[in-house]
Amino acid sequence: MIKFVNSVQDLHACLLRWQQNGHRIGLVPTMGGLHEGHLSLLSLAKAHCDKVVTTIYVNPTQFSATEDFGSYPRNLSDDLQTLSNKNACDLVYCPQQMYLDNHATQIVSSGVALRLEADSRPHFFNGVATIILKLFNQIKPDVAIFGEKDYQQLMVIKQLVRDLDLQVEIIAGHIQREKDGLAMSTRNSYLSDNERKTASNIYRILQKTARNLQENQSVSEAINAGILELNSVGINNIDYFSINDPNTLEPIAKFNSDARMLIALYVGTTRLIDNIAVPFLSESRIHS
Ligand code: AMP
């Protein structure tokens, strides 16, 4: 039976027993609207831990006033049903109150939190880092699992753990995709049927751009060709399409080592993000 709590007191009562028994506790933070991407992180947590906690909380501080905090999909009863059908975790924590009325402290992230998402959403990573630190403090997990779907967020969390000496191991989960390649996302439910078809081009174009790079196109040529192809399928509103160092997230001018390709764009009014690894292949491997 999955336990459900929504106060920090009930959370602690449940965790205390597990901690006293020496259980290794894994955490998967989510905002709900659960899909196979979230469930894959929970499976990973189960494989690494004795007890798995998932949180469902739409964190207001990572949304700006013009973003979709009010309309973000909230289906708590569906989510609880999904978790229980799959026996996906041991405890679900849906905090009723995360921030006191006079809450006045925020983590300010720099380094890998600069550029990319931060250029369009300057509030975002400070909100994410603050809520994740609060969840780490409340739950004290041994392990926390984050998806590569939000690659920059994953790097921000790793940086937070390193910089603040947090005693938690961060494990990354691969991106789960629909059959046509679209990265699973709660926000995909915003797409109309036509937009959904358009969105299926994103992964194809990422892969093609990666191949172009691996076949010796320059970074700017590959990105420009990718943008033209996105335009040709009706995607014109692109926040970024960038090839970056996979660890520092510095943009790279020349492709001569493994890289990460990251993209954020709008299909209609829905903002989608995706990314893929771009391994650097030696000359002999490309032409063999
Ligand atoms: P969210 O509920 O969107 O805040 O996401 C919660 C966690 O699930 C984050 O660590 C995300 O990176 C991860 N996640 C979201 N979509 C996917 C996906 N398609 N594949 C794997 N992980 C995902």
Side-chain angles (χ1 to χ4, degrees):
M1 256 284 277
I2 299 179
K3 293 191 176 63
F4 174 87
V5 293
N6 56 17
S7 73
V8 89
Q9 291 76 13
D10 290 346
L11 172 74
H12 284 161
C14 189
L15 290 171
L16 186 64
R17 264 180 296 126
W18 293 346
Q19 284 152 350
Q20 283 169 342
N21 288 333
H23 288 317
R24 187 168 161 81
I25 295 172
L27 167 65
V28 179
T30 82
M31 297 205 299
L34 299 183
H35 50 67
E36 291 293 331
H38 298 111
L39 294 176
S40 71
L41 303 187
L42 288 161
S43 300
L44 203 51
K46 272 205 158 175
H48 283 86
C49 303
D50 303 311
K51 296 288 177 190
V52 176
V53 182
T54 191
T55 58
I56 297 180
Y57 180 66
V58 185
N59 174 35
T61 67
Q62 67 193 64
F63 290 78
S64 76
T66 58
E67 290 177 344
D68 57 345
F69 175 70
S71 56
Y72 194 84
R74 290 166 173 85
N75 311 309
L76 186 56
S77 59
D78 286 2
D79 287 344
L80 295 180
Q81 193 63 57
T82 304
L83 292 169
S84 124
N85 289 347
K86 309 249 173 190
N87 196 24
C89 61
D90 299 283
L91 173 64
V92 186
Y93 174 41
C94 303
Q96 222 156 37
Q97 186 181 22
M98 237 356 214
Y99 301 99
L100 301 175
D101 291 343
N102 56 353
H103 179 100
T105 306
Q106 256 219 335
I107 296 289
V108 177
S109 285
S110 187
V112 294
L114 301 175
R115 296 178 293 273
L116 301 167
E117 284 299 289
D119 287 342
S120 321
R121 311 182 72 197
H123 54 282
F124 180 65
F125 287 122
N126 294 346
V128 168
T130 304
I131 189 74
I132 294 299
L133 182 58
K134 280 174 73 68
L135 289 173
F136 284 174
N137 284 333
Q138 292 184 352
I139 297 166
K140 304 213 164 39
D142 299 286
V143 174
I145 321 272
F146 292 85
E148 286 182 343
K149 162 72 168 45
D150 300 271
Y151 190 82
Q152 190 178 12
Q153 170 176 285
L154 167 68
M155 303 312 281
V156 168
I157 303 297
K158 285 185 171 175
Q159 177 178 266
L160 175 80
V161 166
R162 182 201 66 200
D163 289 352
L164 299 186
D165 309 299
L166 305 180
Q167 297 297 304
V168 54
E169 180 189 352
I170 303 301
I171 295 180
H174 293 307
I175 302 177
Q176 303 301 306
R177 298 182 178 279
E178 304 289 353
K179 281 203 179 70
D180 61 9
L182 178 65
M184 290 179 179
S185 165
T186 305
R187 288 188 170 101
N188 290 351
S189 65
Y190 295 156
L191 299 169
S192 68
D193 289 350
N194 270 342
E195 290 169 345
R196 174 67 189 74
K197 277 190 202 125
T198 301
S200 69
N201 288 288
I202 300 167
Y203 183 51
R204 181 181 62 75
I205 294 171
L206 284 178
Q207 285 180 304
K208 187 167 172 191
T209 306
R211 274 198 305 278
N212 284 343
L213 270 179
Q214 288 168 329
E215 286 165 6
N216 294 332
Q217 253 189 15
S218 72
V219 166
S220 60
E221 276 170 350
I223 290 291
N224 287 338
I227 291 175
L228 284 179
E229 191 146 4
L230 286 163
N231 295 159
S232 76
V233 299
I235 298 175
N236 297 300
N237 192 351
I238 301 169
D239 273 351
Y240 57 81
F241 186 9
S242 182
I243 298 168
N244 294 54
D245 181 281
N247 299 311
T248 64
L249 292 186
E250 296 276 351
I252 60 168
K254 206 167 172 348
F255 178 59
N256 52 16
S257 60
D258 292 349
R260 199 88 193 175
M261 187 183 298
L262 302 106
I263 196 164
L265 50 75
Y266 285 83
V267 175
T269 54
T270 303
R271 188 173 186 275
L272 300 175
I273 61 171
D274 200 349
N275 68 87
I276 59 171
V278 193
F280 181 70
L281 306 175
S282 69
E283 203 70 12
S284 57
R285 273 185 65 193
I286 298 173
H287 298 297
S288 62

